[in-house]
Structure formats: C-alpha cells, structure tokens
Amino acid sequence: MIDEKLQPILEQVLQRNPGEPEFHQAVREVLESLGRVIAKNPAYLEQALIERICEPERQIIFRVPWIDDKGHVQINRGFRVQFNSALGPYKGGLRFHPTVNVGIIKFLGFEQTFKNALTGMPIGGGKGGSDFNPRDRSDAEVMRFCQSLMTELHRHIGEETDVPAGDIGVGGREIGYLFGQYKRLTNRYEAGVLTGKALFYGGSRARTEATGYGNTYFIQAMLATRGQSFDGKKVVVSGSGNVAIYSVEKVQAFGGKVVAVSDSSGYVVDQSGINLELLKEVKEFRRGRIAEYLDLKGAGSGAHFVKAGVGSIWDVPCDVGMPSATQNELTGKDAKTLVTNGVIAVGEGANMPSTPEAIRILQEAGVLFAPGKAANAGGVATSALEMQQNASRDSWSFDKTEARLAEIMRTIHDTCASTADEYGAPGDYVLGANIAGFVRVAEAMRALGVI
Ligand code: GLU
C-alpha cells in the first residue's frame, strides 16, 4: 500500500515514463516503504525531494555502429542514465543484453542509487549498457563494439563524474576494451574511471568475488538473528555468472551445499553438491551452456539437467534461495513452492529478481528476505574500494579487501535491521533497506539545495 500523500508522486512517475514496467515496479516498491518516513518526518515532502529522487539527473541514449566479422555494419543502442550524484560521482554497471532498453536501465539506476547509499561509500547512482548481445560474438567483434560504445560514452564519464563497471554481459574482457579506448581517446591513464578492471592494470583483489561473497555474508548475518548458519543447509543459486559462481564458493566455505544452478537454457541439479571447478570450467573458461556441466561430471553421476520452460529451478527443495540471474525471475508461484518446501531465507544476488508478489508471499510466511539493493551491494562497495586504491595508487591484499567487504556487509545488514526496528517493522529488510538508503540520499540532496 502506498501512502495517499505519495500516490500523486507515483502517478506522475507512471505518466512521465510510459512503457517502463520495471522502472514503475522499482519506484512503487520504494514509495511503499516511505509512508512511515513521511509520517515521522513530513519535511521529506518539502522541496519536492521524493519527486526529484525519482527523476534521473541525466539520460543519454546514443547510436553504437560497429562492423561485424563478415564486414556488415551493425547498429546497437547505447545508454547511460546518471540517476543521482548527491553522494558522489554516478556509479553503476553497464549491462550488455538484448533485453536492455531505457526502462530497464532506469530501474537499475534507481535501485543503484539506494544500494550505493547503503554501502556508506561516497558514490552516487547510475547505470548504462546496450542491447548488444555478446553471446556468440567473436573477441574481435566484442572489442570493436566496446570501442564504438566508448567513443561516445567517454564524453560523459570520468573518475570524478561517472564511474561505470560491469553487469550482465560485461566482465573483465569488456572492461579491458572499454578502458583501452577511454585511455586512447582522452590520453589519460585515469584508472578510477572504470571498476572491475583486471589486477594487472589497476583492478582490486576480491572485486570479481565480491557480489556473491557479499550476498552470502548478508544471508549469514540474517540466519544468525535466528541462531542459525549455512552449516549443513541446502542452497539453490539461480544463474551461473559471476554473482552465482562466487556465491557457490562462499556457501561451500560456510559449510552449505549448493544443489542447483542455472542459465537461460535451463538448470542443473546435483544433489551431491555443485562441483565449483566444473562450473568455472563451463562458465568462465568455455563461456558455454550449463548443460555442459553434465558432460564434465560424467555419466552416472546422478546430476541432471532440466530445460528452461519445463520446470523452475525454485522447484528444487532448499533451505536457502539465492536468486542471482536477472529481474523478476522468482515469481509468486515459485515463492509458494519455496515456502511449501520449507525455505528459511532468500537473499537476492541479482537486481530485483523477485516479483512483488513473491516478496509478499515469502515475507508473510516468515521467510528471512534480503532485497538486492542491500544483499548484493558488496559488488559496488568493492568497486568503491577499487576507486580508493586507484586514487591512492595502492593495491591491497585479498584478505584486507575481503575483510573490508565483510565489514561493509555486516554494517548494511545491521543498518537495515535497526531501521526496520525503528520504523516499527522488525525483520522487514525491504523496508529497512529502502528507508535507510532513502534517508541518506535525501539528507544529502537537502543539504545541496534545489539542483
Ligand atoms: N552491476 C553491479 C551492481 O548491480 C556493480 C556495479 C559497480 O560495481 O559499479 O551493483
């Protein structure tokens, strides 16, 4: 339910941004949490603070022409939505995926603003990307595409202005090509302009692992509030990208057993526990499909593959669910199945992977639920640590960086929990995350005046 004072703000967002359902969903979810804030502190209704937070500071859409290996000209669309810079330079990833459009980038940029605020680091919120599909493209094609995208993007970014990173479809390879072109165009070795760089040219240790590790730390902290831990728990992790792989690694280190992972072609169930090395071989080295895991595991291993559309990965019984693939992948129906199967905690590794109905069902059933803007903040927080290392021309050890990440995740958990308590909804991490993130951004915006 949305407070009646906030309803006109939502109406205006819907009217001004037609045909952008994911953006509407993200805004609605935050506004639903803010009723309790304005009841306590009506000053947040002044200076159109909430309206301003819902309107990106700047939106850039541009043509990205490039030549494929056959010599044909291809045209993609590039985006950068610079959502909010009250707390620091815009910060957020680039997504390369055929489903990318301005509404998707706006929902991601909006979420990123609150997520980044929750980290406590000096970073604003932004997001970008393209409808380019890197799948089945050669290395040379990916390089030419990245160079063309950066030829326009470089005018809008900079280490004090806007610092992109990776997201779906953008990993170390793409960041390298993007950084190379930025350096060439600007004639500046400005390491802090992009994060997610490889270690040998300014990257941070633990950045690759950070989002998955961070979500695992967050869930560990939630479980601890009920005197529980990962030890002996069955876990399902959807996805098999960076976030999923390093969630599997950390869950295993904490004594849990991951029994299923997926990609857009389907999911693999391995009740003996997903073999991390085989998963990395399929996904990091071969860039292959998840069914290849079975080929590597060998016949008679007991593992099996279910094709996408035939079933849902959330049908696999588990104690902990970690949706780490993409938005709206975990539906109301999935949530019901999870509850029937006795799930005790769900932590979002991806951005907005649970539908509003799924969140409601899980929360009403008393399941510990961690929203992505809190639980997956470890990635961007470690990006901020990468910026810190770049600014001081320093490079920290893995242990030091991971210790900082763990501390940040604990703090985010505690902030969400104490904010939920303060606003009369103990255990509601969605409310806690939305309010704590909002208050930090809103206070900074108020201090900076109407800009
Ligand atoms: N794409 C990641 C996210 O959704 C990381 C962004 C970053 O490191 O800037 O938070």
Side-chain angles (χ1 to χ4, degrees):
M1 276 290 291
I2 291 205
D3 186 284
E4 57 175 26
K5 294 200 187 71
L6 298 173
Q7 191 64 36
I9 300 178
L10 178 65
E11 299 293 333
Q12 195 187 35
V13 168
L14 300 185
Q15 196 192 22
R16 238 190 203 159
N17 305 277
E20 297 177 3
E22 293 83 3
F23 181 50
H24 301 167
Q25 182 183 334
V27 171
R28 183 179 281 112
E29 194 213 87
V30 170
L31 293 187
E32 277 175 0
S33 298
L34 295 188
R36 291 177 198 238
V37 178
I38 56 161
K40 227 178 178 167
N41 189 349
Y44 286 122
L45 285 169
E46 291 162 17
Q47 296 184 358
L49 261 175
I50 302 177
E51 288 91 327
R52 276 192 285 148
I53 277 189
C54 295
E55 180 68 15
E57 289 176 20
R58 190 175 296 111
Q59 305 182 52
I60 304 145
I61 304 183
F62 51 98
R63 179 170 71 197
V64 188
W66 56 284
I67 298 177
D68 69 19
D69 286 347
K70 296 197 183 90
H72 297 143
V73 176
Q74 300 278 345
I75 309 288
N76 285 99
R77 195 172 267 185
F79 302 90
R80 188 71 184 165
V81 173
Q82 299 180 328
F83 223 104
N84 195 299
S85 61
L87 290 171
Y90 309 105
K91 181 84 198 84
L94 297 170
R95 175 176 292 191
F96 293 171
H97 194 270
T99 56
V100 163
N101 57 44
V102 70
I104 297 275
I105 299 297
K106 267 154 79 176
F107 117 65
L108 289 164
F110 183 76
E111 289 276 299
Q112 197 82 44
T113 299
F114 301 100
K115 180 193 320 196
N116 294 3
L118 280 171
T119 66
M121 322 282 287
I123 41 179
K127 202 86 185 191
S130 174
D131 56 1
F132 172 72
N133 188 358
R135 174 157 292 283
D136 302 328
R137 289 290 176 193
S138 70
D139 250 16
E141 288 178 318
V142 170
M143 181 174 77
R144 287 195 293 275
F145 172 79
C146 288
Q147 290 175 340
S148 181
L149 182 104
M150 186 53 86
T151 301
E152 173 60 33
L153 189 64
H154 87 281
R155 306 171 213 282
H156 311 288
I157 64 174
E159 65 184 8
E160 308 290 351
T161 310
D162 182 355
V163 181
D167 195 82
I168 294 172
V170 178
R173 173 181 64 167
E174 290 74 17
I175 293 293
Y177 295 147
L178 291 163
F179 182 70
Q181 183 74 348
Y182 183 86
K183 184 174 82 63
R184 183 188 195 190
L185 289 165
T186 58
N187 197 28
R188 282 166 62 86
Y189 204 109
E190 195 185 321
V193 69
L194 289 167
T195 61
K197 299 180 294 294
L199 280 184
F200 45 85
Y201 70 94
S204 172
R205 292 188 177 81
R207 174 63 190 90
T208 311
E209 295 83 353
T211 313
Y213 279 17
N215 190 22
T216 316
Y217 280 121
F218 195 103
I219 298 170
Q220 182 192 42
M222 285 201 305
L223 290 170
T225 64
R226 297 201 181 157
Q228 305 219 36
S229 75
F230 269 106
D231 200 27
K233 297 279 186 306
K234 261 194 192 184
V235 182
V236 168
V237 180
S238 64
S240 49
N242 217 27
V243 180
I245 289 173
Y246 292 97
S247 302
V248 174
E249 187 168 292
K250 204 41 137 190
V251 166
Q252 291 179 346
F254 285 167
K257 192 204 267 183
V258 179
V259 293
V261 289
S262 65
D263 68 11
S264 57
S265 68
Y267 63 95
V268 161
V269 184
D270 187 347
Q271 292 293 350
S272 65
I274 292 290
N275 180 315
L276 186 64
E277 290 320 306
L278 299 187
L279 178 64
K280 284 185 178 175
E281 170 69 29
V282 173
K283 285 293 170 179
E284 286 188 335
F285 303 113
R286 297 187 181 190
R287 293 178 186 272
R289 306 307 305 187
I290 198 69
E292 291 170 40
Y293 176 90
L294 297 188
D295 305 336
L296 297 180
K297 190 91 203 257
S301 69
H304 68 276
F305 172 68
V306 181
K307 242 172 109 168
V310 174
S312 162
I313 189 171
W314 305 113
D315 295 341
V316 180
C318 63
D319 304 305
V320 178
M322 299 173 76
S324 308
T326 195
Q327 64 271 3
N328 290 328
E329 53 159 306
L330 197 161
T331 64
K333 185 165 171 276
D334 294 326
K336 281 187 196 136
T337 311
L338 282 166
V339 170
T340 307
N341 288 337
V343 75
I344 52 178
V346 172
E348 296 188 321
N351 290 313
M352 210 169 75
S354 315
T355 64
E357 192 197 359
I359 298 175
R360 187 180 49 73
I361 291 166
L362 293 169
Q363 287 190 322
E364 282 176 8
V367 175
L368 292 163
F369 179 81
K373 63 171 78 71
N376 73 37
V380 75
T382 308
S383 278
L385 300 179
E386 182 172 334
M387 291 163 73
Q388 235 177 72
Q389 292 168 76
N390 294 151
S392 58
R393 302 192 187 281
D394 197 0
S395 172
W396 305 346
S397 69
F398 194 96
D399 287 353
K400 173 175 171 167
T401 319
E402 193 188 345
R404 288 288 305 271
L405 166 66
E407 183 192 317
I408 291 167
M409 295 315 297
R410 241 188 324 271
T411 307
I412 298 175
H413 170 273
D414 295 352
T415 303
C416 294
S418 62
T419 306
D421 286 347
E422 187 187 331
Y423 283 86
D428 186 343
Y429 289 92
V430 173
L431 192 99
N434 286 337
I435 294 181
F438 167 79
V439 167
R440 185 156 187 247
V441 179
E443 287 299 337
M445 286 177 72
R446 202 184 358 217
L448 300 183
V450 179
I451 52 169

